[in-house]
């Protein structure tokens, strides 16, 4: 009797599984629209066969942040025709002496260039650079290269705020569409007055502030009445906290969610609640076919390729001490748009804004487009050098003349590559802060 | 009569062995490692279709591929060994101290705090002395708090020491926030409070210090009155009481020693190796050390070997991920290492116990009865 029961149960389970799997297989028709690529020049370089390059990762491919670096490294390897033995990866390298040891080992193995991906690797990369002057050390997201003057130590970032601004336009367009169609989100009709973006951030650092502000300004450029609420999780990767934060924002009346954190927490919360989502680090369309709109990410392969080429002897590229690679050079990418979710006209709007941006007619942090405590910025001092004083000592407001008009703007990633826009602008409300 | 039918002798039964001669023990262990290598080789051939020898060579290279790597292997072994030495007296006493992680971090925090606050205003030798005292104190305090509660209120030391780990981690996070004005929480390299370097080998001092501790701990546990008291308390608290041992005193004293040694590990991590402070300086080694200590049966000299084995395979797994990035993730290396560990730990069972299989004739007899 018992056996029969077990058999029966197993059979039911098996059948249920079959149905379950077929249900999973039947995803809605996913249609995407590519934004036409901006043409940028890139020429091929011959890398000698004895050339070696090393990459130091804080984690391995299980972290989306490190995965983004790893894929860029692989792309650079492929593009420059490097063999397996010419590229050495070091995974799970802590932000301590382990980083110096890894760098030293890479030098021992004959690497001419060493890249590291995490902020905390910086002082150990710098130490290695001082000890091994014949090798070039490249550190992503760091802040000290421009003041240290160590000729073989370099910092880099990408103008990701440009990508976020454009992704923000897609968000603004979507909000406009929802206002026009009187769409209900979480039971409430979206109107011009209650158009509200929710943003899940990792930490209250300049990098995140710069990111959500540029995103907000992009949305505001097409949907002027939009407001934004930001909630921080205090972690770069915490699926539970990110999901909870997104749900909290939705229950506070947010009609659209975006995030700057590395897990699927926020996108999956949006998919469950039917709230449109602008993602980060890559497309989440396969898991969120009904809510994903667009995503931006940094494409490090551009920088890797150029730096590998120059350290391999090419004279085509100079090695900059501290550079934020512009979107124009291909360092910031937008994924394809989700045709089923995006608003009509989004491609054109992004395309136009991008052209203006690349032609130097549009500035993301144009002071005319945002206010701080009701006033437009005319000067702002940021702490861009890492002197021991930590004083805000550099004026980062610049002006440009476009078509006879003077534009005053906050010059992000100009005085150093790592973001330093850390201003709370009007229209954006922080629900908490996490350091 | 019917009951007799169901009484069957099992296929095999397990009985405790008399102590085996040492060479037989080692034969079993070597056989276990060999069996593990054969099994992992099969997995490598079937799953990733690679020559297993290449992978084993990669594991070896990850540890001894260059002079630098060799010394780093020794250095990491030393740090793990030092924490294992620290937890040993407590474990021998059956005080389940899983708070070594936090005690090491407390030592790290204390020494880094000394450098941060007074580093530039006192000579280096004095700073090193102050750092040492503070690190020992911090580690000891972190360990003695649960010990006092255990001795007086008989609280659960496992939970208590575990919670202390979190407090230490977040204390460091708190101070990093306070110290690093840029708000990034990354301290960078501390310029002062570096231990002297012997020759030009930055790892040698750490290795020598820890080797000294290993010898000292061996003597302490084996030949001192304290060591004997720890053993008695571990065997039976009541016996210890009957023998006139002040159990509370032994618990507290032993945990102070345990914590102090963890504190010194923290000191070495900050002053001799990393010269910085992060929440992940201990890197889980406070827990791994427990395995190291158990594997060595709480013998400090064996621990040198077990700590080395653990470090060897951890480094090997990382090297595998680095050498074969297109084929596998670090997970595959971890699987191989896991199999080898399972066999090494599992073979201890066969050293302690014998498996006796049912004999043929008996089987025939029972068959007759059923007929």
């Amino acid at each position: 009797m018992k056996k029969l029961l077990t058999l029966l149960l197993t059979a039911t389970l098996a059948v249920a599984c079959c149905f379950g799997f077929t249900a999973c297989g039947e995803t809605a028709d996913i249609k995407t629209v590519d934004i036409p690529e901006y043409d940028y020049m890139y020429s091929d370089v011959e890398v000698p066969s004895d050339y070696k390059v090393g990459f130091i990762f804080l984690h391995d491919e299980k972290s989306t942040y490190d995965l983004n670096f790893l894929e860029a490294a692989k792309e650079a390897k492929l593009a420059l025709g490097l063999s397996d033995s010419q590229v050495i990866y070091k995974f799970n390298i802590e932000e301590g002496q382990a980083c110096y040891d890894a760098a030293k080992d890479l030098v021992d193995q004959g690497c001419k260039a060493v890249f590291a991906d995490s902020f905390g690797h910086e002082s150990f990369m710098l130490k290695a650079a001082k000890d091994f002057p014949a090798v070039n050390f490249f550190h992503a997201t760091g802040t000290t290269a421009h003041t240290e003057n160590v000729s073989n130590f370099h910092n880099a970032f990408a103008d990701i705020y440009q990508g976020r601004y454009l992704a923000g336009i897609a968000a603004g367009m979507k909000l406009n569409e929802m206002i026009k169609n009187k769409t209900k989100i979480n039971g409430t009709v979206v109107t011009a007055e209650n158009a509200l973006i929710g943003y899940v951030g990792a930490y209250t650092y300049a990098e995140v502030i710069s990111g959500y502000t540029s995103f907000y300004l992009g949305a505001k450029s097409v949907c002027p009445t939009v407001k934004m609420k930001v909630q921080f999780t205090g972690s770069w990767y915490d699926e539970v906290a990110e999901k909870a934060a997104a749900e909290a924002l939705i229950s506070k009346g947010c009609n659209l969610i975006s995030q700057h954190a590395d897990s699927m927490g926020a996108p999956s919360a949006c998919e469950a609640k039917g709230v449109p989502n602008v993602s980060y680090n890559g497309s989440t369309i396969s898991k969120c076919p009904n809510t994903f709109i667009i995503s931006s990410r940094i494409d490090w392969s551009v920088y890797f390729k150029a730096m590998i080429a120059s350290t391999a002897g090419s004279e085509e590229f100079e090695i900059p001490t501290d550079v934020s690679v512009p979107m124009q050079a291909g360092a910031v990418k937008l994924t394809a748009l989700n045709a089923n979710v995006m608003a009509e006209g989004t491609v054109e709007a992004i395309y136009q804004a991008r052209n203006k941006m690349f032609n130097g007619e549009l500035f993301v942090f144009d002071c005319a487009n945002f206010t701080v405590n009701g006033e437009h910025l005319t000067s702002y001092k940021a702490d861009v050098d890492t002197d021991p004083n930590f004083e805000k000592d550099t004026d980062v407001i610049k002006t440009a003349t476009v078509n006879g008009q003077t534009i005053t703007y906050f010059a992000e990633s100009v005085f150093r590559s790592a973001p330093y826009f850390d201003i709370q602008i009007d229209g954006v409300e922080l629900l908490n802060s996490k350091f | 009569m019917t009951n007799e039918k169901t009484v069957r002798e099992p296929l095999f039964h397990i009985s405790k062995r008399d102590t085996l001669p040492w060479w037989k023990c080692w034969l079993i262990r070597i056989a276990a490692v060999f069996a593990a290598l054969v099994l992992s080789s099969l997995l490598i051939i079937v799953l990733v279709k690679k020559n297993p020898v290449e992978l084993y060579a990669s594991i070896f290279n990850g540890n001894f591929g260059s002079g630098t790597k060799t010394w780093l292997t020794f250095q990491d072994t030393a740090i793990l060994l030092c924490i294992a030495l620290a937890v040993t007296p407590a474990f021998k006493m059956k005080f389940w101290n899983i708070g070594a992680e936090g005690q090491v971090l407390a030592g790290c925090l204390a020494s880094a705090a000394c450098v941060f606050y007074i580093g530039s205003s006192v000579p280096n030798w004095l700073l090193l002395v102050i750092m040492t005292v503070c690190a020992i104190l911090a580690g000891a305090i972190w360990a003695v708090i649960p010990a006092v509660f255990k001795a007086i209120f008989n609280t659960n030391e496992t939970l208590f020491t575990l919670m202390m780990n979190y407090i230490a981690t977040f204390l460091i996070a708190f101070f990093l926030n306070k110290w690093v004005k840029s708000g990034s929480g990354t301290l960078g390299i501390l310029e002062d409070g570096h231990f002297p370097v012997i020759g030009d080998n930055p790892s040698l001092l750490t290795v020598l210090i820890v080797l000294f501790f290993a010898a000292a701990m061996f003597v302490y546990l084996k030949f001192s009155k304290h060591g004997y008291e720890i053993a008695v308390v571990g065997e039976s608290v009541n016996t210890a009481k009957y023998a006139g041992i002040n159990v509370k005193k032994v618990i507290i004293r032993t945990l102070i020693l345990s914590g102090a040694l963890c504190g010194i590990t923290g000191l070495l991590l900050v002053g001799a190796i990393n010269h910085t402070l992060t929440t992940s300086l201990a890197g889980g080694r406070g827990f791994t050390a427990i395995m190291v200590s158990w594997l060595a049966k709480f013998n400090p000299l064996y621990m040198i070997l077990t700590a080395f084995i653990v470090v060897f395979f951890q480094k090997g797994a990382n090297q595998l991920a680095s050498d074969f990035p297109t084929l596998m993730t670090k997970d595959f290396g971890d699987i191989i290492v896991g199999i080898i560990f399972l066999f090494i730990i599992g073979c201890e069972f066969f050293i302690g116990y014998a498996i006796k299989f049912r004999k043929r004739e008996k089987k025939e007899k029972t068959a007759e009865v059923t007929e």
Side-chain angles (χ1 to χ4, degrees):
Chain A
M1 188 59 206
K2 235 184 190 172
K3 266 186 188 167
L4 192 79
L5 203 73
T6 324
L7 213 82
L8 216 80
L9 271 173
T10 323
T12 340
L13 210 73
V15 173
C17 276
C18 288
F19 276 104
F21 285 134
T22 42
C24 288
E26 283 175 353
T27 38
D29 290 337
I30 294 176
K31 283 187 204 129
T32 60
V33 183
D34 286 308
I35 300 159
E37 270 291 343
Y38 186 86
D39 282 331
Y40 53 90
M41 299 299 289
Y42 190 79
S43 61
D44 293 320
V45 193
E46 281 285 321
V47 179
S49 61
D50 62 341
Y51 175 89
K52 280 187 185 171
V53 55
F55 292 91
I56 295 173
F57 300 90
L58 178 59
H59 302 112
D60 52 25
E61 74 285 344
K62 275 174 272 187
S63 137
T64 52
Y65 179 80
D66 296 85
L67 181 66
N68 192 28
F69 272 86
L70 179 61
E71 291 192 330
K74 285 179 177 167
E75 200 189 315
K77 176 184 170 221
L78 194 72
L80 294 168
L82 300 176
S83 70
D84 281 352
S85 60
Q86 283 179 284
V87 184
I88 306 168
Y89 305 110
K90 291 262 180 189
F91 298 109
N92 301 303
I93 303 298
E94 289 285 341
E95 298 173 321
Q97 184 63 18
C99 174
Y100 176 86
D101 295 335
K104 183 164 186 273
D105 184 47
L106 290 168
V107 174
D108 286 351
Q109 295 189 48
C111 290
K112 293 277 187 297
V114 174
F115 295 87
D117 74 348
S118 191
F119 186 79
H121 286 146
E122 183 163 30
S123 35
F124 299 91
M125 287 289 280
L126 179 62
K127 193 171 142 199
K130 287 175 181 164
D131 288 359
F132 307 105
V135 177
N136 277 289
F137 292 84
F138 302 94
H139 177 254
T141 73
T143 55
T144 59
H146 71 119
T147 47
E148 282 288 339
N149 290 322
V150 176
S151 63
N152 61 330
F153 179 71
H154 321 279
N155 281 147
F157 216 91
D159 286 346
I160 182 66
Y161 64 92
Q162 296 182 325
R164 286 192 185 277
Y165 182 88
L166 297 178
I169 291 180
M173 297 292 286
K174 181 69 188 171
L175 284 168
N176 283 345
E177 185 197 68
M178 293 198 288
I179 294 165
K180 198 177 133 205
N181 295 347
K182 300 194 170 65
T183 312
K184 273 189 178 177
I185 291 286
N186 209 21
T188 322
V189 177
V190 183
T191 61
E193 288 71 42
N194 71 10
L196 183 63
I197 295 173
Y199 197 96
V200 180
Y203 289 96
T204 322
Y205 294 165
E207 188 184 338
V208 181
I209 299 172
S210 171
Y212 70 65
T213 309
S214 50
F215 175 74
Y216 173 72
L217 291 174
K220 202 174 163 219
S221 71
V222 288
C223 179
T225 55
V226 68
K227 297 241 171 349
M228 184 157 89
K229 284 185 197 287
V230 184
Q231 180 145 347
F232 298 95
T233 59
S235 161
W236 285 111
Y237 190 98
D238 186 337
E239 185 142 10
V240 177
E242 287 163 39
K243 194 170 180 179
E247 282 166 355
L249 287 165
I250 292 167
S251 70
K252 288 195 169 79
C254 294
N255 327 110
L256 188 146
I257 300 285
S258 185
Q259 78 272 356
H260 187 174
D262 298 340
S263 88
M264 283 295 293
S268 55
C270 289
E271 186 73 4
K273 300 256 179 190
V275 179
N277 175 256
V278 172
S279 206
Y280 183 55
N281 269 339
S283 179
T284 46
I285 193 167
S286 61
K287 285 185 181 127
C288 309
N290 302 315
T291 52
F292 169 83
I293 301 175
I294 195 170
S295 166
S296 56
R297 73 176 179 96
I298 295 181
D299 184 350
W300 285 100
S301 68
V302 176
Y303 181 68
F304 290 168
K305 279 188 273 193
M307 292 306 106
I308 291 173
S310 13
T311 49
S314 162
E315 286 168 9
E316 188 176 353
F317 306 98
E318 268 185 38
I319 304 182
T321 304
D322 184 36
V323 67
S324 185
V325 191
M327 191 171 184
Q328 223 156 327
V332 175
K333 292 270 161 69
L334 290 174
T335 62
L337 282 151
N338 185 348
N340 292 332
V341 181
M342 69 167 199
E344 210 178 304
T346 305
V347 179
E348 294 79 358
I350 291 180
Y351 192 66
Q352 276 171 15
R354 197 179 60 182
N355 279 347
K356 278 190 180 169
M357 197 186 268
F358 290 179
N359 292 336
E361 295 165 16
L362 186 155
F363 294 87
V364 169
F365 296 107
D366 186 337
C367 294
N369 294 340
F370 66 91
T371 54
V372 179
N373 298 324
E375 292 185 20
H376 292 283
L377 280 187
T378 49
S379 78
Y380 186 76
K381 288 199 189 298
D383 179 36
V384 290
D385 23 299
T386 42
D387 53 12
N389 302 327
F390 291 102
E391 280 164 356
K392 302 198 162 194
D393 40 21
T394 312
D395 196 344
V396 291
I397 303 292
K398 288 178 104 179
T399 53
T401 312
V402 177
N403 303 332
Q405 278 184 311
T406 306
I407 293 180
T408 310
Y409 67 99
F410 183 105
E412 175 66 304
S413 292
V414 169
F415 293 92
R416 77 159 193 233
S417 64
Y420 42 83
F421 185 98
D422 57 354
I423 311 166
Q424 315 293 337
I425 68 166
D426 297 334
V428 178
E429 183 194 350
L430 305 195
L431 299 179
N432 64 348
S433 61
K434 284 275 162 82
F435 290 99
Chain B
M1 283 301 272
T2 42
N3 274 354
E4 253 179 58
K5 274 188 195 173
T6 55
V7 176
R8 285 200 296 172
E9 196 187 346
L11 183 61
F12 60 85
H13 71 270
I14 294 160
S15 62
K16 185 133 177 58
R17 270 196 220 263
D18 298 331
T19 318
L20 282 176
W22 67 268
W23 60 270
K24 271 195 181 170
C25 296
W26 282 101
L27 212 63
I28 292 178
R29 286 182 191 129
I30 291 165
V33 172
F34 187 72
L37 289 180
V38 170
L39 181 64
S40 352
S41 301
L42 283 176
L43 268 182
I44 292 165
I45 292 167
V46 173
L47 290 180
V48 297
K49 301 181 180 60
K50 276 264 167 189
N51 180 359
V53 178
E54 259 181 64
L55 272 77
Y56 296 138
S58 160
I59 291 179
F60 186 82
N61 278 337
N63 288 277
F64 301 112
S66 67
T68 316
K69 277 185 178 162
T70 308
W71 274 106
L72 285 179
T73 307
F74 291 153
Q75 176 187 291
D76 286 356
T77 306
I79 290 297
L80 187 59
L81 173 63
C82 197
I83 308 175
L85 291 171
V87 298
T88 297
F91 270 84
K92 210 170 174 190
M93 199 175 63
K94 296 216 166 75
F95 182 101
W96 310 120
N97 172 21
I98 56 171
E101 187 90 359
Q103 290 148 26
V104 172
L105 287 177
C108 292
L109 176 60
S111 18
C114 292
V115 182
F116 186 83
Y117 287 115
I118 58 169
S120 48
S121 51
V122 294
N124 199 48
W125 67 268
L126 182 61
L127 177 63
L128 289 179
V129 172
I130 297 171
M131 279 166 74
T132 310
V133 172
C134 290
I136 290 176
L137 276 178
I141 290 170
W142 226 246
V144 88
I145 296 170
V148 167
F149 275 81
K150 167 82 176 180
I152 299 174
F153 306 113
N154 198 26
T155 51
N156 182 319
E157 74 273 19
T158 315
L159 288 175
F160 207 133
T161 49
L162 183 68
M163 294 305 149
M164 295 294 282
N165 289 341
Y166 296 112
I167 299 176
T169 308
F170 288 107
L171 263 182
I172 291 185
F174 171 80
F175 278 104
L176 284 178
N177 245 325
K178 197 169 140 67
W179 294 347
V180 184
K181 299 231 173 57
S182 69
S184 64
T186 305
L187 189 59
I189 296 176
L190 295 163
E191 294 300 329
D192 305 295
H194 292 207
F195 273 83
V197 172
I198 304 176
D200 54 358
N201 186 329
S203 311
L204 189 56
L205 181 71
T206 308
V207 172
L208 290 180
I209 289 177
V210 177
L211 278 180
F212 166 76
F213 282 133
M217 184 59 81
F218 179 75
V219 172
Y220 177 79
L221 287 177
K222 186 136 187 169
F223 301 111
S224 77
K225 181 167 163 259
H226 285 185
Y228 180 73
E229 286 175 344
I230 287 171
V232 175
V233 172
E235 286 298 323
S236 155
V237 172
N238 285 332
T239 313
K241 278 182 186 156
Y242 185 72
I245 295 173
N246 184 343
V247 177
K248 284 180 191 174
K249 196 176 125 194
V250 173
I251 290 180
I252 292 174
R253 187 182 66 205
T254 309
L255 261 288
I256 289 178
L257 176 72
S258 219
L261 207 45
C262 281
I264 289 176
T265 318
L267 173 75
L268 290 173
L269 282 171
V270 170
I273 298 174
N274 287 289
H275 310 299
T276 190
L277 182 69
T278 69
T279 51
S280 54
L281 270 189
R285 285 181 279 200
F287 300 102
T288 318
I290 296 169
M291 181 169 81
V292 169
S293 178
W294 272 97
L295 270 176
K297 302 204 177 67
F298 307 129
N299 181 325
L301 298 185
Y302 289 165
M303 257 171 243
I304 300 174
L305 180 67
T306 51
F308 169 74
I309 292 175
V310 171
V311 169
F312 179 84
F313 284 115
Q314 279 177 343
K315 284 192 171 289
N318 263 325
Q319 186 68 27
L320 279 180
S322 176
D323 284 353
F324 302 95
T326 45
L327 262 186
M328 61 186 94
T329 61
K330 180 166 179 291
D331 305 315
F332 194 81
D334 285 340
I335 292 173
I336 302 291
V337 172
I339 290 173
I340 295 171
F341 271 128
L342 182 69
F343 274 72
I344 293 176
I345 297 168
C347 81
E348 295 300 317
F349 172 83
F350 294 98
I351 291 168
Y353 298 89
I355 294 175
K356 291 190 175 130
F357 284 92
R358 180 169 67 193
K359 282 179 185 133
R360 261 276 163 79
E361 313 88 76
K362 274 194 173 175
K363 199 178 176 185
E364 280 155 19
K365 262 185 197 168
T366 39
E368 274 165 33
V369 172
T370 36
E371 273 169 22

